[in-house]
């Protein structure tokens, strides 16, 4: 399935801003912060993450290998990219789509500012020259016009709710709940699966035990057992299934907004597993 998706996308998805389409109207309304650029980036991130998973899972002997934990951070990246894209592009109301696109831009701007500030913090090992340099750079940052203000100005100019735009993106939990309102996951809530995968992306001992098969063996000490952990295929497939479902739904929805059926991943070259359906 990953191979089919990568083949479909090729060098990247094109034709999102077709003249006369909803997405082109969105782009024109909030330029230079085009919605189509964000959606195509989310698709690219998800595709690259899934392609990385294919490299991880495909053994050089053409078999399959399943790492114990390494799959989950990459699957989470694909899941989040697909969810972000759906969150932006799924609403039928163009005002909501454009507001969400600008909220994403504001969020990224704030995170970039925070990152720069972190790099410019004084550290105990800094010499006097370096501290002066950092102070000058901090001053420049404070005096420069913030990108978030420019984004808010675009919102005001086209009649979007500026206060909403300035909020940035909600928490991932809230965002995933809103994604489920458009594209409910077939197995559990998208948020529940994201939380499960997140616990495996971090070094959680409890989650690792839950997501693994345990082979217990006795030792000479009756109070001690050895436990060998191996990957549980069901959990890996769960992460892959939800990531692929979200990316497929994102492409389907983007095809509608772009008025370009070629964007849709039709999956004609694969046998559809149970639970999948064509739209």
């Amino acid at each position: 399935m990953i191979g089919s998706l990568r083949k479909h996308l090729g060098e990247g998805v094109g034709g999102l801003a077709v003249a006369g389409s909803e997405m082109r109207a969105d782009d024109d309304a909030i330029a230079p912060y085009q919605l189509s650029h964000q959606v195509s980036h989310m698709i690219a991130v998800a595709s690259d993450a899934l392609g990385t998973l294919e490299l991880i899972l495909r053994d050089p002997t053409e078999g399959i290998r399943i790492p114990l934990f390494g799959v989950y951070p990459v699957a989470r990246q694909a899941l989040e990219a697909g969810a972000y894209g759906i969150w932006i592009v799924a609403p039928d109301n163009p005002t909501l789509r454009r507001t969400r696109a600008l909220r994403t831009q504001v969020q990224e701007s704030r995170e970039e500012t925070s990152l720069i500030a972190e790099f410019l913090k004084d550290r105990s090992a800094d010499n006097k020259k370096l501290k002066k340099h950092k102070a000058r750079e901090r001053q420049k940052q404070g005096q420069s016009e913030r990108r978030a203000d420019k984004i808010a100005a675009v919102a005001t100019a086209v009649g979007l709710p500026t206060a909403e735009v300035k909020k940035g993106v909600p928490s991932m939990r809230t965002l995933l709940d809103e994604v489920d309102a458009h594209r409910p996951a077939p197995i559990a809530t998208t948020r529940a699966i994201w939380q499960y995968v997140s616990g495996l992306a971090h070094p959680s001992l409890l989650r690792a035990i839950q997501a693994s098969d345990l082979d217990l063996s006795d030792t000479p000490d009756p109070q001690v057992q050895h436990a060998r952990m191996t990957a549980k295929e069901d959990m890996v497939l769960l992460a892959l299934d939800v990531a692929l479902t979200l990316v497929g739904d994102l492409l389907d929805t983007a095809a509608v907004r772009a008025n370009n059926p070629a964007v849709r991943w039709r999956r004609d070259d694969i046998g559809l597993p149970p639970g999948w359906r064509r739209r």
Side-chain angles (χ1 to χ4, degrees), residues 69 73 76 197-209:
F69 308 118
R76 175 183 166 183
V197 174
S198 294
L200 291 159
H202 303 295
S204 166
L205 177 59
L206 176 60
R207 192 65 50 80
I209 293 171

Side-chain angles (χ1 to χ4, degrees), residues 1-8 265-272 278:
M1 294 184 73
I2 294 173
S4 169
L5 175 62
R6 298 274 289 172
K7 180 181 177 182
H8 167 67
W265 174 32
R266 298 192 60 83
R267 313 169 183 97
D268 292 330
D269 57 344
I270 56 175
L272 295 181
R278 299 184 190 279

Side-chain angles (χ1 to χ4, degrees), residues 221-238:
D221 185 343
Q223 301 299 318
V224 177
Q225 282 188 310
H226 283 164
R228 181 174 182 266
M229 297 172 65
T230 55
K232 185 175 288 188
E233 294 178 10
D234 288 352
M235 296 300 99
V236 175
L237 289 172
L238 173 65

Side-chain angles (χ1 to χ4, degrees), residues 84 87 100 103-107 165 167-171 175:
Y84 258 96
W87 184 74
R100 287 182 174 183
R103 288 179 69 179
T104 304
Q105 294 278 358
V106 166
Q107 185 70 31
V165 167
K167 288 181 181 178
V169 176
S171 70
L175 185 147

